[in-house]
Amino acid sequence: MATGKPVKTIILRGLALLSFFIAAILLFVSYEKIDLQSSNFIVKYLDWDGFLLCAIVDCIGCCYNLVVIIIPPGSQLWKTVIVLDVIVNIVVGTSLGAGWQTYILINGGNIHARWCRICGLTPYFCSKILGSLITSTFGFVISIILLLYTLHVSVDPFLVGH
């Protein structure tokens, strides 16, 4: 009987790869041009460091999951997958925290700093950013589930049904 990768993990890695890819694409194409009192403004994700960090980390998460899918089943590289899963999940979680906090700031504004909310002026931009953050959060949840499954299998392989 040939041993290979479980189909569950391939499907979950594919879902994580796809969600990080879609989140990165949504961030890269999110911009909006607005006219305010004879002034033109272009709002894009590069204007905020939290969104730039999310875009970079989404690309890292996409590439990492692609590499893990490509690794052959008997390779020695599988020993590092658990450690790299933990590192990638920490980085993705941190970038999501920064991205969600930046979205909350541009959505609600800051009364104390007298900074108006951006999403009232640019709803198309904010909807793309929100879609990207939700998609990236979905990929993060899938990555956490994969990490927990991998830890479960490596700690006690006899608990997994065949």
Side-chain angles (χ1 to χ4, degrees), residues 73-136:
S75 175
Q76 292 294 321
L77 293 173
W78 282 106
K79 294 178 182 179
T80 62
V81 169
I82 295 174
V83 175
L84 290 175
D85 271 346
V86 171
I87 292 170
V88 168
N89 281 326
I90 289 171
V91 172
V92 169
T94 305
S95 74
L96 276 173
W100 278 110
Q101 189 60 40
T102 305
Y103 178 77
I104 289 170
L105 185 63
I106 68 168
N107 191 25
N110 189 344
I111 297 171
H112 303 293
R114 295 186 179 145
W115 191 46
C116 69
R117 54 188 221 113
I118 303 288
C119 289
L121 303 171
T122 59
Y124 182 70
F125 169 75
C126 287
S127 64
K128 281 197 171 191
I129 293 292
L130 180 63
S132 172
L133 288 173
I134 289 172
T135 308
S136 186

Side-chain angles (χ1 to χ4, degrees), residues 15-16 19-20 96 132-143:
L15 281 173
S19 65
F20 286 135
L96 276 173
S132 172
L133 288 173
I134 289 172
T135 308
S136 186
T137 303
F138 178 72
F140 177 65
V141 168
I142 291 174
S143 294

Side-chain angles (χ1 to χ4, degrees), residues 31-98:
Y31 70 94
E32 188 171 354
K33 185 176 179 181
I34 57 172
D35 296 324
L36 288 176
Q37 302 169 351
S38 71
S39 297
N40 292 333
F41 294 105
I42 297 177
V43 181
K44 51 188 166 189
Y45 78 98
L46 289 173
D47 296 335
W48 290 278
D49 293 335
F51 297 146
L52 180 62
L53 179 67
C54 276
I56 292 169
V57 171
D58 284 339
C59 291
I60 290 171
C62 180
C63 292
Y64 170 72
N65 282 306
L66 179 66
V67 166
V68 171
I69 287 174
I70 293 174
I71 293 176
S75 175
Q76 292 294 321
L77 293 173
W78 282 106
K79 294 178 182 179
T80 62
V81 169
I82 295 174
V83 175
L84 290 175
D85 271 346
V86 171
I87 292 170
V88 168
N89 281 326
I90 289 171
V91 172
V92 169
T94 305
S95 74
L96 276 173

